[in-house]
Amino acid sequence: MNATLAPRPIDTAGTRPDLEKGLGAAGRIGFGAAIVAALVYVAFSVYSDAAAVGVEPTTYLPFILLFIALLIALGFEFVNGFHDTANAVATVIYTNAMPANVAVVWSGFFNFLGVLVSTGAVAFGIVSLLPVELILQVGSSAGFAMVFALLLAAILWNLATWWLGIPSSSSHTLIGSIIGVGVANALMHGKSGTAGVDWGKAAEIGQALLFSPLIGFGLAALLFAAMKVLVRKKELYEEPKDGLPPPWWIRALLIFTCTGVSFAHGSNDGQKGMGLIMLILIGTVPTAYALNRAVPERYTAEFHAGSLAAGAALDEASPPPGVPLDPVQARSRVTAYIADKTLAPATLPALSVLVHDVDRQVTDYGSLAKVPAAAVSNIRNDMYLASEAIKLLGKQKPAALSGQAQESLATYKASLDAGTRFIPTWVKVAVAIALGLGTMVGWKRIVVTVGEKIGKTHLTYAQGAAAELVAMGTIFGADHLGLPVSTTHVLSSGVAGTMAANRSGLQMSTVRNLLMAWVLTLPVSIVMAGGLYMLFSQVL
């Protein structure tokens, strides 16, 4: 991964696209104005939401930490944008389908749209990896240390690989940072390092990250081979000529795939920052963000009915003990179950007590919107614990719970999530702006790697289209399943797959760098985030 060992680009004399055009003076002014407007919009949105629920700051330190944390989180998405731009634009640039300066603005716009229409499933999948005790105390110094450590570690590694021109995975980096924080937190509290992470969820996400580049390589190679058999257009398999654009139908296909990958990248990668921003907001302004106060009026009645059904299912599966548990004991036992993943005899009765206690509180207040500020954090934490415990039961499928009981619990979990797992519109807009603007700068280093340093011959129209189609489909599929995947790995491995299928040859020095980045990303980000978490825990 040493920059001095980087492979030489292929001979692109006469065919290399113009990569030097920038945004121009007007573009730079607009870019700066957009950044200022976004920051003002974020500050005003937080102020408005806090004022709407009657929050009046008695000290400004939490709000200063909040603003710094939001800047770092949006900074991560900005870096993610320019680090991953090559995934969408390298093929259209190197096939002359679009000029470079136009392509990056086009990609940035569709990244922006992708974030806006995202579901949020990936956002909360990322959050589920964090240690439960830190999520419950996210507003504490340990919570801020967690957020600062994992985001800074991810940003530093992304910047390092970008500087070397090596396509690496932002998703991979963030997952490693989360694991590092979890391991460090467990060690600091005298536990085994393996106790600080939801390894089941980590394995699920790890499999997505592991198989996505293999899928990219294999499917792109197969698609390219099928195209050569089915689409016998000679010009499709020739390298671009002297900067001339391809035939219109090929150009339309390449622009379509660039658009699709940009949109899919925004819808998947943009959510990672959203989940962390919501943790920051819940920790600092829980009254405004811990509970979804915009649920419909029917929510309370439906929640009550779901609570009764879930409680009955739990009581039937494991009758309450002779000495009833109080809510404090129940909360402690459910927390231990989530942390240790061990189903004890008292787990189901404890969860039943927690379910009934949450239902009592919500019913007494009348709706989530009427929960007083002093009670918001406790109710939100109880709802989060119940949801995570039910999710874990769904994976373990204990014999005591019948199929009907599992359905009742799943329905109840959906109502819990509706009350706690939501993303305000302004958070989506802020992340969309950060990712979209980041896409428009700093793209050249990795675009050159993807366009010139993977294969030994120039990228052809068919190769670019095949790689982008596979990347687009893979990312959309992962987004639907709520899994983060590496857009970078899928696209770069897809380009490599088409080169292999065409027998063009691969530049093995680049392949080695890509593999080394893939291997090192996880351990490096784990160590960096763990070390930063220990440092920030002492400082804060």
Side-chain angles (χ1 to χ4, degrees):
M1 284 170 44
N2 193 311
T4 61
L5 300 179
R8 293 184 178 182
I10 58 179
D11 183 8
T12 56
T15 61
R16 188 180 192 187
D18 183 0
L19 302 177
E20 303 305 323
K21 286 184 179 179
L23 298 174
R28 288 193 294 271
I29 293 173
F31 188 88
I35 291 178
V36 173
L39 293 177
V40 171
Y41 174 63
V42 168
F44 176 76
S45 298
V46 174
Y47 172 79
S48 298
D49 289 347
V53 293
V55 174
E56 296 182 2
T58 56
T59 174
Y60 287 97
L61 179 59
F63 286 89
I64 293 173
L65 289 175
L66 166 62
F67 194 68
I68 293 172
L70 289 176
L71 282 180
I72 295 173
L74 293 174
F76 167 76
E77 288 297 344
F78 185 86
V79 173
N80 187 10
F82 71 72
H83 188 277
D84 289 0
T85 309
N87 306 323
V89 302
T91 54
V92 291
I93 291 174
Y94 273 85
T95 55
N96 298 322
M98 297 179 81
N101 58 332
V102 175
V104 295
V105 174
W106 181 272
S107 176
F109 176 72
F110 282 97
N111 266 283
F112 175 86
L113 290 183
V115 177
L116 290 184
V117 302
S118 58
T119 62
V122 173
F124 294 109
I126 289 287
V127 170
S128 295
L129 272 178
L130 293 165
V132 62
E133 62 269 25
L134 287 183
I135 293 178
L136 298 180
Q137 304 173 47
V138 70
S140 66
S141 59
F144 277 109
M146 169 187 71
V147 173
F148 289 156
L150 65 89
L151 284 174
L152 287 176
I155 289 172
L156 290 173
W157 181 247
N158 277 349
L159 288 175
T161 52
W162 164 80
W163 181 258
L164 296 172
I166 300 171
S168 71
S169 168
S170 298
S171 301
H172 210 161
T173 306
L174 186 59
I175 299 304
S177 298
I178 290 173
I179 292 174
V181 168
V183 170
N185 181 68
L187 293 175
M188 289 174 65
H189 290 83
K191 300 179 182 178
S192 164
T194 59
V197 179
D198 181 349
W199 292 106
K201 186 66 177 179
E204 179 185 342
I205 292 174
Q207 288 172 3
L209 292 171
L210 171 64
F211 289 117
S212 53
L214 301 178
I215 292 171
F217 185 94
L219 290 184
L222 290 173
L223 179 57
F224 178 77
M227 290 172 68
K228 293 191 75 171
V229 173
L230 299 174
V231 186
R232 296 184 177 275
K233 294 281 188 180
K234 183 180 177 181
E235 63 269 28
L236 193 61
Y237 308 100
E238 295 176 346
E239 67 179 54
K241 304 233 176 6
D242 300 325
L244 296 176
W248 71 268
W249 64 277
I250 299 175
R251 191 176 191 182
L253 176 62
L254 290 165
I255 292 175
F256 169 74
T257 56
C258 166
T259 304
V261 170
S262 299
F263 186 85
H265 176 258
S267 69
N268 192 278
D269 276 39
Q271 295 189 55
K272 297 157 192 171
M274 287 183 202
L276 296 172
I277 286 175
M278 287 310 299
L279 274 184
I280 295 167
L281 293 171
I282 289 167
T284 49
V285 198
T287 308
Y289 300 108
L291 296 175
N292 185 2
R293 295 176 178 270
V295 291
E297 291 185 8
R298 66 179 185 276
Y299 175 84
T300 303
E302 292 176 353
F303 183 81
H304 177 62
S307 300
L308 294 178
L314 292 167
D315 291 339
E316 181 180 354
S318 181
V323 179
L325 298 171
D326 61 42
V328 175
Q329 294 172 318
R331 190 177 300 115
S332 175
R333 295 189 182 187
V334 173
T335 303
Y337 169 59
I338 297 170
D340 301 336
K341 314 294 186 294
T342 302
L343 185 63
T347 299
L348 296 184
L351 181 56
S352 176
V353 171
L354 189 62
V355 167
H356 288 302
D357 189 58
V358 172
D359 178 49
R360 177 190 59 77
Q361 294 180 74
V362 173
T363 303
D364 286 349
Y365 292 125
S367 72
L368 295 184
K370 296 178 181 178
V371 175
V376 164
S377 293
N378 288 337
I379 292 181
R380 189 261 173 190
N381 284 348
D382 287 349
M383 294 174 76
Y384 177 83
L385 285 174
S387 176
E388 290 298 296
I390 292 171
K391 182 177 73 174
L392 187 55
L393 287 172
K395 293 179 179 179
Q396 295 180 340
K397 297 188 182 302
L401 288 172
S402 65
Q404 182 62 44
Q406 291 280 9
E407 290 181 13
S408 297
L409 291 175
T411 301
Y412 176 62
K413 182 183 183 303
S415 65
L416 289 169
D417 292 345
T420 57
R421 301 191 177 196
F422 68 103
I423 299 174
T425 301
W426 73 262
V427 172
K428 283 191 174 185
V429 172
V431 170
I433 293 173
L435 189 66
L437 291 179
T439 301
M440 300 179 193
V441 299
W443 45 269
K444 181 179 176 181
R445 291 177 181 272
I446 297 178
V447 163
V448 169
T449 297
V450 174
E452 300 180 19
K453 299 179 182 179
I454 293 179
K456 291 184 177 180
T457 60
H458 199 291
L459 191 72
T460 66
Y461 306 128
Q463 288 173 320
E468 290 277 25
L469 280 170
V470 168
M472 181 174 66
T474 303
I475 301 162
F476 272 129
D479 194 30
H480 178 71
L481 295 173
L483 293 173
V485 295
S486 168
T487 311
T488 305
H489 285 164
V490 174
L491 190 280
S492 56
S493 62
V495 172
T498 63
M499 291 290 177
N502 198 41
R503 298 181 181 178
S504 305
L506 297 172
Q507 296 193 51
M508 294 312 296
S509 52
T510 299
V511 173
R512 283 194 297 271
N513 280 350
L514 290 171
L515 288 174
M516 191 176 298
W518 189 90
V519 170
L520 289 179
T521 292
L522 201 61
V524 169
S525 54
I526 287 174
V527 171
M528 287 176 60
L532 287 172
Y533 175 71
M534 291 181 176
L535 174 63
F536 292 151
S537 294
Q538 299 300 318
V539 172
L540 295 176

